[in-house]
Amino acid sequence: MPDSPVDEAPPRPWQKWIVAVLGLLVVVHSILLTLWLAPASPIRDLVGSRGLASYVDPYFEQSADSVDPDAQYVDESFQVRALVQSNTAKPKVTHWVDLTAEEDHRMRFDLDPARVHVIARRLATNLNGVMFALDPQQREIVPLSKVSTLPSKLQARLNAAGSNPIAVQNFMAYSQMATQFASLYAAAKWNGGDVYQVQFKVGRRTVPPFAKRHTDKLADVHYLWFAFGWRPAFHGSYDARSAFNSYVNN
Amino acid sequence: MIARALDWLTLGKHSTYGLAVTRMILGFIVASQLAVNWSDRSYTWGDGAGWTETVRNSKSWPAFLGLFKQVSGPAFDVAYLVTIVFGILMMIGLYTRASTFMTLFLWMSLYVANPFVGSGGDAVLRMVMLYMCFVDAGQHWSVDSRLRGRRGAIKPLMPVWFSATLHNLATILIIHQVVMVYVASAFWKVQSPVWKGGTAVYYPLQTLAYSPWHDWLHPVYATGPIIAGATYTAIVVQLFFPVLLIYRPTRVVALIMITGMHLGIGIFMGILYFSLVMIAVDMILVSDKSWIRAFEWVNSRRKANPVDEESLRI
């Protein structure tokens, strides 16, 4: 019996066909979403990951990371420093600022933190991800890039050192994004001077095993760092700089 | 059997009370999330989010969701406030279907402006909200239902059998969504040695990203039986969730346990937003009979304690 009965005669045959087609669409849609989220299996392989992605992307996409428990066993750090000139003094390299630590401080005892407090950590996760996706020889090239190194030149060097153009392309995209973010952050942080260059590094460390919980603390574990070369500062629009100023100096 | 299924789909709308509760909580989540992020709105989604362009453009979102990317300054603030207003309208159930649709449209436009700050809760929210556009979530506990009571029902735009079919199929999709998240999550868990070893819950609680309480609760987190209990309970409840839903007594147990699990995740790991989204969707699984009984019980308590009722008014 329906929970909310409707005073209506049973549907006619043509109406039943419409209901049946709609029902079939729902079943197919449900199966595709289930396969997308499920771990690898012969059925999933039969449909193919690319075929599934073309259906779910972008609206119905759900990241496997949100259900993958292995994604949360590491602690990450994103740090920025800059070459800044204040007044007429010589340009000086600032100290490293740990943006993830700042975010953690702001999130302390906050059960529903503002979304802005996850940005540095997300950057760290993505940058670590793209670095681990590169070959070891390619990773050695990254910190050697200089201010004068054009992105296209760096990309060419990375491609020459490995055979993973998609990983290199992802690296370039996230690296460019992090450069823009670091530049806007640096301009807000050291707003008394002109920011000429920025550099950032990301770290990752793994939580010590549960068996050693009484002796080993995460705070004592060293980060595995990936440093990125110095980059020319990105200046951004006035509105973008104002938005960063408002957050960083609040 | 096919005839029964067709009757079930076409002769009436199901889970209307549960959907009303889900609607209220989801509307509250959208409005409150935006209120919480008000002071950092420009940095998070507005002019300050332009640095994410390289990566956000790699997703082929439809152009009509570009509203928040195209406005700035006061226009951005107005659009942001309008989103909050529609979230509230959805919560109270005024022009329910239209306000649900507008909330979805505006919320998604905001999400697309900076997917970088999105979370697992957003993925579930956007899918459930899409399905919510097809259900009659304003039939109970809404301003619409009060207005209907006063002025009488308005002639429906579409045939009742079709409206009921859309409502019921969308309800099935919402339930499928939540069940799929649990079962898929459980499948990933049982493949992982730390989950099978009963220690998985310990690890995220050690990271700074998921420990808003820092070292305050470390003695609890370091207690083996507590960690093992939480780890295995999560696997069992999620893995057997669809089976537990079939029989009423086990469904009650499953819903209590899954809600407790979400509250635990929200409070101890500091991701209350994600937890609330999941709790909101789980409310559909409480039968209409149970909601009516609960409502009647609350009403009878209020009538039995007129003094309390008076104090509530004050």
Side-chain angles (χ1 to χ4, degrees):
Chain A
M1 186 182 158
D3 300 335
S4 186
V6 176
D7 187 18
E8 177 87 346
R12 294 169 190 162
W14 66 270
Q15 295 170 343
K16 286 181 181 175
W17 273 107
I18 292 176
V19 174
V21 170
L22 287 172
L24 190 66
L25 287 175
V26 164
V27 170
V28 172
H29 173 75
S30 304
I31 290 171
L32 291 174
L33 292 193
T34 304
L35 287 175
W36 173 254
L37 260 184
S41 66
I43 305 171
R44 197 181 196 278
D45 295 341
L46 201 68
V47 181
S49 291
R50 194 175 291 181
L52 282 172
S54 66
Y55 179 72
V56 301
D57 194 21
Y59 196 89
F60 295 107
E61 195 204 353
Q62 297 163 76
S63 168
D65 288 351
S66 63
V67 291
D68 178 7
D70 287 329
Q72 294 157 4
Y73 300 155
V74 294
D75 190 36
E76 291 168 304
S77 175
F78 177 74
Q79 301 193 5
V80 172
R81 67 177 176 175
L83 181 68
V84 183
Q85 184 173 32
S86 304
N87 302 322
T88 52
K90 270 182 75 177
K92 266 175 68 175
V93 174
T94 65
H95 59 278
W96 286 105
V97 177
D98 189 342
L99 275 68
T100 31
E102 281 189 3
E103 283 179 355
D104 291 335
H105 181 71
R106 290 184 196 231
M107 288 200 297
R108 193 163 191 179
F109 305 125
D110 189 350
L111 301 184
D112 189 20
R115 292 182 177 230
V116 73
H117 300 322
V118 303
I119 287 177
R121 196 168 292 284
R122 290 276 162 83
L123 266 174
T125 303
N126 283 292
L127 287 169
N128 272 315
V130 292
M131 284 301 283
F132 278 112
L134 294 178
D135 293 336
Q137 303 93 305
Q138 291 172 315
R139 280 184 225 145
E140 286 171 17
I141 294 171
V142 173
L144 302 178
S145 68
K146 295 175 184 161
V147 177
S148 56
T149 311
L150 291 172
S152 55
K153 210 166 187 177
L154 176 62
Q155 188 167 6
R157 277 184 201 159
L158 290 171
N159 276 326
S163 54
N164 45 1
I166 292 175
V168 172
Q169 198 178 325
N170 285 338
F171 166 82
M172 294 305 296
Y174 278 103
S175 166
Q176 185 189 335
M177 204 167 82
T179 304
Q180 294 191 6
F181 176 82
S183 302
L184 289 164
Y185 180 88
K189 180 85 180 169
W190 295 287
N191 60 0
D194 293 325
V195 176
Y196 292 121
Q197 297 171 21
V198 289
Q199 191 185 23
F200 48 89
K201 62 178 179 179
V202 289
R204 178 185 277 190
R205 59 184 177 180
T206 307
V207 176
F210 180 73
K212 294 182 177 175
R213 64 192 180 280
H214 298 302
T215 52
D216 294 4
K217 296 269 176 268
L218 177 64
D220 302 327
V221 179
H222 294 295
Y223 281 106
L224 169 65
W225 290 105
F226 289 126
F228 294 71
W230 283 95
R231 280 108 203 275
F234 164 83
H235 293 294
S237 66
Y238 171 79
D239 291 331
R241 291 201 302 274
S242 302
F244 269 75
N245 260 328
S246 155
Y247 173 71
V248 175
N249 299 314
N250 219 329
Chain B
M1 189 177 161
I2 292 174
R4 274 183 65 190
L6 281 171
D7 286 350
W8 188 91
L9 282 172
T10 56
L11 291 184
K13 295 174 180 173
H14 300 270
S15 298
T16 45
Y17 285 90
L19 283 162
V21 177
T22 301
R23 181 205 79 229
M24 288 189 275
I25 304 178
L26 292 185
F28 169 77
I29 288 171
V30 169
S32 63
Q33 268 289 295
L34 296 183
V36 164
N37 289 279
W38 170 259
S39 59
D40 302 313
R41 64 196 178 285
S42 296
Y43 180 71
T44 314
W45 291 289
D47 297 314
W51 58 273
T52 60
E53 200 171 2
T54 328
V55 171
R56 79 183 177 195
N57 288 352
S58 63
K59 289 266 179 206
S60 53
W61 290 100
F64 65 82
L65 291 176
L67 173 70
F68 283 95
K69 285 195 277 188
Q70 285 161 12
V71 293
S72 64
F76 176 89
D77 292 349
V78 169
Y80 194 94
L81 283 170
V82 168
T83 313
I84 295 178
V85 170
F86 273 110
I88 294 168
L89 291 181
M90 181 183 164
M91 181 177 74
I92 63 173
L94 180 60
Y95 303 115
T96 307
R97 207 182 292 262
S99 57
T100 303
F101 175 79
M102 283 307 295
T103 306
L104 171 67
F105 166 69
L106 291 164
W107 177 258
M108 278 311 300
S109 302
L110 194 67
Y111 172 84
V112 167
N114 187 1
F116 210 65
V117 292
S119 75
D122 288 330
V124 176
L125 186 67
R126 73 166 177 261
M127 269 175 274
V128 172
M129 292 262 283
L130 176 67
Y131 304 143
M132 290 282 286
C133 292
F134 296 93
V135 303
D136 189 356
Q139 200 172 98
H140 307 289
W141 299 334
S142 66
V143 177
D144 282 346
S145 69
R146 289 204 166 210
L147 292 174
R148 254 196 314 272
R150 273 191 214 158
R151 72 183 174 207
I154 299 169
K155 194 173 182 289
L157 288 171
M158 57 179 96
V160 177
W161 66 269
F162 189 67
S163 165
T165 303
L166 287 183
H167 171 97
N168 293 326
L169 287 175
T171 305
I172 290 170
L173 282 173
I174 296 171
I175 294 170
H176 170 262
Q177 172 64 40
V178 68
V179 168
M180 185 182 63
V181 167
Y182 294 144
V183 176
S185 176
F187 278 148
W188 283 99
K189 286 181 171 80
V190 294
Q191 292 184 2
S192 164
V194 283
W195 279 96
K196 284 191 284 191
T199 60
V201 168
Y202 171 77
Y203 293 93
L205 291 169
Q206 299 303 302
T207 64
L208 294 172
Y210 295 103
S211 56
W213 304 99
H214 288 235
D215 285 342
W216 278 33
L217 296 176
H218 189 75
V220 179
Y221 301 157
T223 309
I226 292 176
I227 293 295
T231 305
Y232 289 131
T233 304
I235 297 176
V236 170
V237 174
Q238 289 189 321
L239 191 61
F240 295 107
F241 192 70
V243 182
L244 294 171
L245 290 180
I246 296 168
Y247 183 50
R248 191 181 176 274
T250 55
R251 184 166 70 224
V252 172
V253 172
L255 285 172
I256 290 172
M257 292 191 81
I258 209 90
T259 306
M261 188 185 89
H262 286 309
L263 284 175
I265 290 171
I267 292 167
F268 294 113
M269 295 174 73
I271 43 175
L272 210 51
Y273 163 71
F274 173 75
S275 297
L276 270 181
V277 170
M278 295 308 293
I279 289 171
V281 183
D282 286 341
M283 291 302 104
I284 295 173
L285 299 166
V286 178
S287 72
D288 280 358
K289 279 180 191 164
S290 299
W291 282 119
I292 293 166
R293 257 205 305 268
F295 186 66
E296 285 171 352
W297 182 81
V298 172
N299 261 349
S300 67
R301 296 285 296 175
R302 284 172 63 186
K303 281 174 189 162
N305 298 304
V307 179
D308 289 347
E309 191 182 14
E310 200 61 37
S311 65
L312 280 174
R313 278 185 194 148
I314 294 165

